[in-house]
Amino acid sequence: MISERAGFKLGFSLGATFIFYFRRAGILLFCLGLNVACNQEKEKSRLAYPKFVAVPKTELFFGKRVEDQYYNLMDLKDPEVVAWFRAEDSLAERYFAENKLMPEYLSRFGNLENRSNQNPSRITISESGDYFYLKYDDSTKNDKLFFRSKDTSQEVELFDPLQYEDGSFQISDLSPSYDGLKIAIGLKREGEFASTFVVFDRASDELLHEVITNVNPDFGGIEWLPDGSGFIYLYFPVVDKNLPGYKKNSFSVLYKLGNKPDKRTPVFGKSTALNISDDFYPKVKISSSQDKYVIGYVASSGDFYDAYITDIEDIYLGKPNWKSFFTSEDKIYYDQGEIRGNQFIYRQAEAIGNRLCIVDLNRPNFKNPEIIAGADADDPITKFTVTKDAVYFCKSHFGVDVSLYHVDSTLNIAKLTLPFRPGYVSFFGSSSLHKNIGVGMDGWTSDFKRYYIKEDGTFELEDLVKKADYPEFDSLVSEQIMVKSYDGSDVPLSLVYKKGLQRNSKNPVFLYVYGAYGESMSPFFFPMFLDWAAQGGILAFPHVRGGGEKGEEWHVQGMKTLKHNSWKDLVACTEALVDQKWSKPGQIALYTNSAGGITAGMAVNERPDLYASFIAEVPRMNPLGLESSSTSSSTSYLEYGSVRDSLEFFGLLHMDPYQNLVPNKRYPATLLFPSYNDDRIPLWDSGKYIAKLQAYNISENPILMDIDYQYGHDTYKGNEESIVLHSKIFSFVRTNMRD
């Protein structure tokens, strides 16, 4: 199973595909024949793609006519469209059924993943110090909820979702009350947007009668009231994607245990006075059982939110008096603010990096706060946490080299000596009521470990996550080089390979890029990736603009009308791999997911000769189509731009991989993994790109779309699905390498 840390980073992985059969006739003609000729270990395929009669649509934006050639693929209720997607998926499944490398990867990846199969996931620690976590059951192929007291190593099974109702649910979230006596458990059926929450009472060892519906913990989960008498959650009135208002007009509600589940008291968002857009998500945060205030955030896909504050006592009465706290223009990171007594401690973006600050809640002055730690563009502060009398924060040099600091009550800063050199650090078990604090750490070649920080600043290994042995990775090394982009900017490029590898231009490269939403490509330990390097290849991770490796300005330089910097940085990094003789065109595979589809897709459009293959999971390939569509509720325009703004429209058109495909061009082998149940990027986004690419491509390279009809955009997949998915990815990569 993917480790807790890698599972978070790779949670977008898609599972085995369920074939959705729909019969049609008429204009759809397809042939699923596959003529495979083997040449040593390589296979070259001639594919007959499903035929589809395109119905284009032309729209006028600011005097520019834009043709959407496969506009009719957006009608996912049309039987002919559904049948075309089914045929494309069947073709991909047939391809992998006949790929001779699949059995090898299934066996090897199964061996790797099963070594850590029993490690817990979704580890949560209550304020009282007790553990709650999931463990995978091989016999039933599902996760169960377990409890372990802070005072013992004995674990107790609390809940098995297979025993709930018809057994069709999986655990999607867990949230214990501050005292750990009650646990809100999110349950979700495959393919559904919303979770159902039930409450387990440890005192009675049973589920309470509460059944809370219309919640999606990815957008806003359970926030327990300080006294444990109930909780606040983000309620979605419409959770069926086929109905008007889907995902819109959400608001936070108060629920008291013992009431009828449909007795929801609106407390944040459902107010004309606050004037919150129907596309935003008004959610709240409560930091501890001693909090006197509740903060309400107007959430979106951006980094910075407007925030409001009210007294906790008013929340109990169901009559909050919200006052403006700070605005998005203050550039306070949405997930990086903590209340401790009458202090609000937060991380704030500056032009040269990020800084840590404090304001007094009685007299908050965000224009002139007290500074805990200053900003550094090359070594930005990435996260922090608070304890009873200290603050801990991390810096990350170019996104991969992490340092950890302790701040005492007098604001003296001390750098801690870490057990090993990590590329990623996360905090756990902290609270403003006690001194306990833990950190999880891993790196490109260092497996995920959890430590408690002792009072003297040393580290003690926690015993919950068991170490798995991977001797085949002992010879792997990592380094980061700097690459000059087209405009002279220095772009970090991380490499992982086997010690002693020769730079003779013959090394196969698996290149993973993202570059959006200010997310850094921070190191993670993932055996199925590391296998590539152990077999003699190179893993390459370009830290392109659009990410957060150099602070918020690095992100801004890859947004909206500046998005071209992202893919030009990627092209520069790929060219550097060639120029510095790490590899050569034909031996470089490009991989991405989600928003990274724009960066990778445009790099392929501009330099298809550089890449042997292009693989993307739940990718965004038609951002102009999504932003101009009325079928999706999204605030992604904050990242990419809006069709309602003339400059941003042209930026969207320029960054759109689908719109910028060129006919009669030799494109690399392409494999997309969209999801039918994706609540963020609709299936037609990938479908239009694949249809157009199949029509325009003049090479013999396969162009495939393997559709997941089971999961959503970033639903965590089980062990077996992950093994199948990555076996497909790497068998496709190996098959399509060329000399």
Side-chain angles (χ1 to χ4, degrees), residues 535-548:
Q535 298 298 320
I538 298 172
L539 293 170
F541 305 91
H543 304 275
V544 303
R545 278 173 281 188

Side-chain angles (χ1 to χ4, degrees), residues 480-523:
Q480 190 176 75
I481 63 176
M482 302 303 291
V483 173
K484 289 289 183 185
S485 192
Y486 77 104
D487 61 354
S489 297
D490 288 324
V491 182
L493 173 62
S494 295
L495 303 173
V496 180
Y497 53 86
K498 207 169 186 177
K499 184 183 293 186
L501 178 137
Q502 296 184 11
R503 287 162 62 171
N504 56 11
S505 299
K506 296 181 180 180
N507 304 301
V509 173
F510 186 81
L511 193 156
Y512 176 15
V513 71
Y514 186 68
Y517 292 104
E519 291 291 332
S520 296
M521 180 65 74
S522 57

Side-chain angles (χ1 to χ4, degrees), residues 219-365:
F219 291 82
I222 300 296
E223 292 288 324
W224 280 92
L225 296 174
D227 65 0
S229 63
F231 44 76
I232 301 173
Y233 65 93
L234 185 66
Y235 173 73
F236 286 88
V238 181
V239 295
D240 186 339
K241 65 181 179 181
N242 297 310
L243 297 178
Y246 170 59
K247 285 173 55 179
K248 294 179 181 289
N249 297 302
S250 61
F251 55 95
S252 286
V253 300
L254 170 67
Y255 175 75
K256 289 291 192 75
L257 297 178
N259 287 342
K260 293 182 179 180
D262 58 356
K263 185 179 180 181
R264 309 179 185 94
T265 302
V267 292
F268 184 56
K270 199 172 185 181
S271 167
T272 55
L274 296 180
N275 194 28
I276 297 174
S277 168
D278 61 3
D279 280 342
F280 285 64
Y281 308 102
K283 62 183 183 180
V284 307
K285 181 177 181 180
I286 303 174
S287 296
S288 79
S289 63
Q290 300 301 308
D291 275 10
K292 299 176 182 178
Y293 305 95
V294 177
I295 299 177
Y297 293 96
V298 183
S300 68
S301 61
D303 284 334
F304 313 116
Y305 301 163
D306 291 337
Y308 298 82
I309 193 166
T310 190
D311 292 344
I312 190 69
E313 293 301 325
D314 292 336
I315 288 289
Y316 280 119
L317 295 173
K319 298 178 179 180
N321 179 26
W322 294 104
K323 299 177 182 178
S324 179
F325 191 36
F326 56 80
T327 72
S328 58
E329 293 182 358
D330 290 313
K331 294 188 178 299
I332 296 170
Y333 285 98
Y334 69 90
D335 59 344
Q336 297 283 301
E338 296 290 341
I339 290 177
R340 183 173 64 184
N342 286 320
Q343 294 179 325
F344 182 69
I345 305 170
Y346 61 93
R347 185 171 68 108
Q348 184 179 41
E350 291 280 287
I352 59 169
N354 307 318
R355 65 181 187 177
L356 275 187
C357 309
I358 301 177
V359 294
D360 188 325
L361 284 172
N362 295 317
R363 297 176 301 277
N365 183 354

Side-chain angles (χ1 to χ4, degrees), residues 114-131:
N114 288 330
R115 297 182 204 178
S116 59
N117 200 27
Q118 293 303 311
N119 268 334
S121 62
R122 294 189 181 272
I123 302 169
T124 305
I125 303 177
S126 68
E127 195 174 76
S128 58
D130 294 326
Y131 284 86

Side-chain angles (χ1 to χ4, degrees), residues 103-113 115 472 528 531-532 535 723 727 730 734:
E104 172 191 339
Y105 277 105
L106 287 169
S107 175
R108 194 158 70 240
F109 287 173
N111 176 274
L112 289 172
E113 290 302 284
R115 297 182 204 178
E472 56 267 68
M528 286 190 284
D531 175 78
W532 178 267
Q535 298 298 320
I723 291 169
S727 295
F730 284 99
R734 286 287 188 185

